[in-house]
Amino acid sequence: MNRRALLAGLAAAGGALAAGLYRFTDLFVKHYPPTAHDDLLEELGDRDQAARLGAAVDNAPDAKALAARLRTSLQGDLATAVQADIAAGRLTEVKGWLLPQTVVLLSALAAKS
């Protein structure tokens, strides 16, 4: 076995190890189980923290109603929807914090999913 073949084998093994760690662990990126609302929940940076916030939301509708409402309001990206909520004064109080309505609804959906 020559040195070039050994180095190529080590590089391939290292690439396979890195790909396996990326895909099957949460070491690089957090992986969540699939839900029916992944198209909306992918807007969240940290779904676990959003679910903690969403659990504090009072009188939140069920997940299907939240998803339908969010699909109509999230035509662009989350930042645009949040800026529109702030400009229109659509703020909701959750545990003493005033938050844009889209963030509150998306967090409640994360808590229910």
Side-chain angles (χ1 to χ4, degrees):
M1 175 182 269
N2 60 19
R3 187 172 40 185
R4 189 173 292 171
L6 178 65
L7 289 176
L10 286 175
L17 178 66
L21 285 174
Y22 175 81
R23 173 63 182 97
F24 297 111
T25 67
D26 292 336
L27 187 61
F28 298 117
V29 175
K30 178 80 174 155
H31 296 282
Y32 298 100
T35 67
H37 313 295
D38 282 340
D39 59 323
L40 297 169
L41 295 175
E42 71 184 5
E43 294 286 331
L44 295 171
D46 189 353
R47 200 180 291 185
D48 294 332
Q49 293 299 320
R52 287 181 59 200
L53 173 67
V57 175
D58 295 330
N59 301 324
D62 64 335
K64 285 186 179 185
L66 282 170
R69 188 169 172 186
L70 282 166
R71 282 191 178 99
T72 60
S73 66
L74 276 176
Q75 297 299 325
D77 61 340
L78 181 60
T80 305
V82 167
Q83 291 297 326
D85 283 347
I86 293 170
R90 292 186 299 262
L91 302 173
T92 305
E93 182 180 350
V94 178
K95 298 277 185 177
W97 290 82
L98 281 177
L99 301 168
Q101 189 176 31
T102 304
V103 172
V104 172
L105 295 175
L106 199 54
S107 299
L109 180 64
K112 293 181 182 286
S113 293

